[in-house]
Amino acid sequence: HYEEMEMPVYYTYADGWKTLLTYTDTMIMLIVLVTGFLVSGIFPGEFSLKADSVYFSSRFGRNRGVRAKIGAGLLLVTVIYWGTMLLYTGIVLFALGADGGSCVIQTGLGGWKSFYNITFFQKYLLSMLGGYAGSLFILSLAMLISAKTRSAVLAVTVPFIVLFIPSFLSGVNALNKVLGLLPDQLLQISSVINQFNLYELGGQV
């Protein structure tokens, strides 16, 4: 992969993209934590109000009602995620400039050893899409737990567990390969791309 890189490396001012990518992971994790509080109460609402027998015995309560709740949760996550991230992107690039998006990530201090031949703009797109996929997965899991346990308290702990337990276990070398496959990695693509994380399955790397 290193040999595929065009030489000499094109370089120009790219502080806007570098700053944007430095804090993208943190922003995504904060969004997941905040939206975790919001979606955790979508399903247990009827049970806390003792209205579940009425709600689920109604004509469309068990099918359309549940689908509407799932749709509302996913819509909430989508609007908050993209709204916040696009606002953050606009502020940073407006303040520092949008030049340098076509520079390869190896021109930045954090990405000099990465074996991915991608630009800052491509890395940003991967980080945004990965963060969105990870957010949907983690928060859908939180909604599932809230529906099964009928408890918003248990559901709201899911994002905390998924995000912070791997951080505490990262010091254990024996678990590094397993931790690299957990969903929190989707929220941290900007950082993961800079590391040498390789997996081999059936002779394919």
Side-chain angles (χ1 to χ4, degrees):
H1 282 276
Y2 282 124
E3 293 173 355
E4 295 171 8
M5 194 180 302
E6 291 184 17
M7 300 298 284
V9 174
Y10 169 72
Y11 178 78
T12 187
Y13 172 85
D15 283 7
W17 293 100
K18 291 175 186 176
T19 304
L20 188 65
L21 290 163
T22 300
Y23 299 105
T24 295
D25 298 349
T26 306
M27 286 294 297
I28 292 172
M29 285 193 260
L30 287 173
I31 291 169
V32 170
L33 292 176
V34 170
T35 48
F37 280 100
L38 298 175
V39 301
S40 62
I42 291 177
F43 282 95
E46 294 79 34
F47 301 102
S48 62
L49 297 171
K50 308 298 184 190
D52 53 304
S53 56
V54 176
Y55 182 80
F56 289 111
S57 63
S58 62
R59 182 179 179 187
F60 298 118
R62 287 206 174 271
N63 46 35
R64 288 189 193 173
V66 172
R67 283 199 300 269
K69 284 175 173 284
I70 293 170
L74 296 178
L75 179 65
L76 181 69
V77 171
T78 301
V79 169
I80 291 176
Y81 178 85
W82 287 109
T84 305
M85 291 306 294
L86 291 175
L87 180 64
Y88 163 69
T89 301
I91 291 171
V92 172
L93 293 182
F94 178 77
L96 298 175
D99 299 337
S102 57
C103 290
V104 291
I105 59 175
Q106 286 79 8
T107 60
L109 185 61
W112 69 271
K113 65 178 182 179
S114 177
F115 47 75
Y116 297 102
N117 293 319
I118 58 175
T119 64
F120 285 121
F121 178 69
Q122 290 169 327
K123 183 180 180 181
Y124 168 74
L125 287 180
L126 284 172
S127 299
M128 291 285 281
L129 294 174
Y132 180 59
S135 299
L136 286 180
F137 177 81
I138 293 169
L139 297 171
S140 295
L141 183 62
M143 286 194 292
L144 177 64
I145 289 174
S146 74
K148 293 294 182 185
T149 63
R150 302 177 181 181
S151 169
V153 176
L154 288 175
V156 82
T157 61
V158 172
F160 285 96
I161 292 170
V162 173
L163 293 179
F164 295 117
I165 294 296
S167 299
F168 291 124
L169 298 176
S170 60
V172 183
N173 290 332
L175 296 175
N176 280 345
K177 288 292 186 183
V178 177
L179 294 176
L181 297 172
L182 295 180
D184 70 299
Q185 298 293 292
L186 284 169
L187 309 181
Q188 304 175 54
I189 286 183
S190 182
S191 301
V192 172
I193 282 177
N194 297 334
Q195 302 167 4
F196 286 113
N197 291 332
L198 296 171
Y199 293 87
E200 185 176 348
L201 182 64
Q204 296 296 316
V205 177

